[in-house]
Amino acid sequence: MVDEAAQARAEALKGEANEAFKGNKYAKAIILYGQAIDEDPTNAVYYSNRSFAHLRLENFVPAVEDASKAIEVDPQYVKAYYRRGSALLAQNKFAEGLKDFKKVAKLKPRDPDAQKKLKACEAEVKRQRFEAAIASGEGGSGPVSSSLDIASIVVEDGYVGPRLGGESGTDVTLEFVKAMIETFKNQKSIHKRYAFDILLQVKEVFKVLPTLMDIEIPQGTHFTVCGDVHGQYYDLLNIFEMNGFPSEDNPYLFNGDFVDRGSFSVEVIFTLFAIKVWCPKAIYLHRGNHESRNMNKIYGFEGEVKAKFNETMAELFSEIFCLLPLCSVLNEKVFVVHGGLFSQDGVTLDDLRKLDRVREPPDDGLMCELLWSDPQPQNGRSPSKRGVGVAFGPDVSDRFLKANGLQLVVRSHEVKDEGYEIDHKDKLVTVFSAPNYCDQMGNKGAYIRFESDMVPHFHKFTAVPHPPVRPMAFANGFMSMMM
């Protein structure tokens, strides 16, 4: 039994935690809900609320654990099933998540929202099973790029947007790129013929790049590294406004997660890809964990491409994402990767150069860890809170850097209040370039500017206004509960 004084303290702590949650201070809310649980471990609400806070931070494993504990305490607590089901869906565990939504629908048979989400989840499970059955069959039509005939796509006389010029009709010029950016800024689109043309051209650019790029920053020049953008197009344009448009004299590296969540992902990716085609040394692009088929199905990019163009283009994006490089070394000193380091010591840069990257990301191994891992403050390694990748400590970073003659790891993959964070005794930096992430986190964005001495200079910025389209507007219907 929990005495009345402990219950009162727990309720007070829950009130503080709820206020922190409302203020988007999810990490603080998690601590406060934990303190409430310490006072009264018999209240399912505290576990369920902490699960929700973990969901907002994309800590899916503890989100499932807390929701499960809430269900153990109160098997009739509907919100706990919602939250556990959401965390399972976020990990692509649709069949397991479906069980929770069935339970919600059973507990609330007259709730139209519960019934709607159950039907959406059932449809997604059927679709995945169908796709798995097709993939397991023999044969196949091959890559979509090999069957595309863009010459047969007619540009109607009434089209008034930017056109690709040059003798071949396909040259991507700076003039075209800037006209395209203005078109997107005004919430209009380019013709699908030119969109397909850009994708086919950028595919050829990526195809010949190595998995690990060695990038030189000559004396007297500079180089900018940006983190996740996540479809926040108007914030991307703000970066270019603050730091200058990409060029050979003002090069950028975007460190993965260009798409998903934000509902202007199409505009982001075509801008980055068109710049890459126009001037390959103006911009470098890494693959993030969201440049993958499964994530794009869940978090909005696939739906956005289908809504703004068509299904064929969505397939072509999946093909191109498999060609993106995974990491870079700047001036033989700074290692840049989207996620982080590895579940084992002894990994060398040559090991990374030899990786077969032209595939969908696997669930384990070096490629998975490059895309999914996160740092932790304590030494050693721990299971990832995301359910994939690994959490690695300062000693792991130190050993990797020393073994490969490097001085700093730069990674992204995690939202930070100030847009960046320095960890692991100044040997690891996280940079995140999507301010006010998903229109709710209140965080700043940041980018890093390096000169040839490789000392990082951090620049913070706040979000700018965007048209009234909510994040994940194109995502699967049942995922809206996570926003």
Side-chain angles (χ1 to χ4, degrees), residues 398-456:
D398 186 59
R399 290 194 296 270
F400 173 78
L401 292 170
K402 286 180 178 176
N404 290 283
L406 302 166
Q407 66 184 31
L408 181 68
V409 175
V410 173
R411 44 89 63 182
S412 302
H413 194 41
E414 289 182 286
V415 61
K416 298 297 179 182
D417 286 345
E418 295 301 310
Y420 74 95
E421 188 170 277
I422 303 171
D423 293 298
H424 291 190
K425 301 177 182 178
D426 297 340
K427 293 183 179 179
L428 182 141
V429 171
T430 298
V431 59
F432 194 86
S433 302
N436 195 24
Y437 182 42
C438 293
D439 287 354
Q440 66 181 21
M441 296 295 283
N443 61 290
K444 295 183 176 66
Y447 56 86
I448 306 172
R449 190 153 163 151
F450 288 100
E451 296 180 357
S452 55
D453 61 5
M454 301 314 296
V455 175

Side-chain angles (χ1 to χ4, degrees), residues 333-337 339-349 369 373-382 390-411 414 421-430:
K333 292 181 179 179
V334 176
F335 180 69
V336 188
V337 65
L341 301 182
F342 314 103
S343 57
Q344 60 186 30
D345 287 336
V347 176
T348 68
L349 298 181
E369 291 160 359
S373 291
D374 294 297
Q376 64 180 22
Q378 70 273 22
N379 281 339
R381 296 178 173 90
S382 304
V390 66
F392 60 96
D395 56 330
V396 176
S397 294
D398 186 59
R399 290 194 296 270
F400 173 78
L401 292 170
K402 286 180 178 176
N404 290 283
L406 302 166
Q407 66 184 31
L408 181 68
V409 175
V410 173
R411 44 89 63 182
E414 289 182 286
E421 188 170 277
I422 303 171
D423 293 298
H424 291 190
K425 301 177 182 178
D426 297 340
K427 293 183 179 179
L428 182 141
V429 171
T430 298

Side-chain angles (χ1 to χ4, degrees), residues 131-138:
E131 289 188 353
I134 294 296
S136 65
E138 295 182 0

Side-chain angles (χ1 to χ4, degrees), residues 50-64:
R50 190 169 68 175
S51 174
F52 198 15
H54 277 302
L55 265 174
R56 288 294 176 88
L57 291 179
E58 303 180 8
N59 297 334
F60 301 125
V61 172
V64 170

